[in-house]
Amino acid sequence: MQLTIEVPEKDLVAFGQESVQREIARTLRWMKIRQSFKKNSAELSSLDEQMYFQELEAIRASTWDEYKQEFV
């Protein structure tokens, strides 16, 4: 059994162009996300580690207190 489909050349070109445009858009989106991660990473690395852990502990304690108050 053999199946043959006739597709005009201009339709193939249009489909190829759409496919390439979608791939470029997808790639640009990932590049923007990657750039955002790099920027965030650079900003986080400039933080003082001791200060970071103090802030983190304060946030944890505050959250735990709020959680406990829900059951009182």
Side-chain angles (χ1 to χ4, degrees):
M1 178 178 199
Q2 183 177 359
L3 176 65
T4 305
I5 300 175
E6 296 285 329
V7 180
E9 189 72 27
K10 66 178 183 168
D11 291 343
L12 285 175
V13 170
F15 174 75
Q17 182 179 1
E18 290 173 21
S19 177
V20 169
Q21 286 175 342
R22 277 194 309 266
E23 190 62 34
I24 288 172
R26 187 178 304 133
T27 301
L28 286 174
R29 186 174 33 228
W30 277 111
M31 288 174 70
K32 289 177 184 177
I33 291 170
R34 189 177 310 135
Q35 186 64 27
S36 294
F37 280 135
K38 286 181 181 179
K39 182 181 176 186
N40 289 341
S41 176
E43 289 177 8
L44 287 174
S45 67
S46 68
L47 290 177
D48 178 34
E49 187 174 343
Q50 183 71 21
M51 184 180 191
Y52 169 79
F53 284 113
Q54 288 174 351
E55 289 256 348
L56 184 61
E57 194 55 41
I59 292 169
R60 286 180 179 158
S62 170
T63 304
W64 179 247
D65 289 340
E66 287 178 24
Y67 176 76
K68 288 191 299 187
Q69 287 178 0
E70 290 179 14
F71 294 103
V72 174

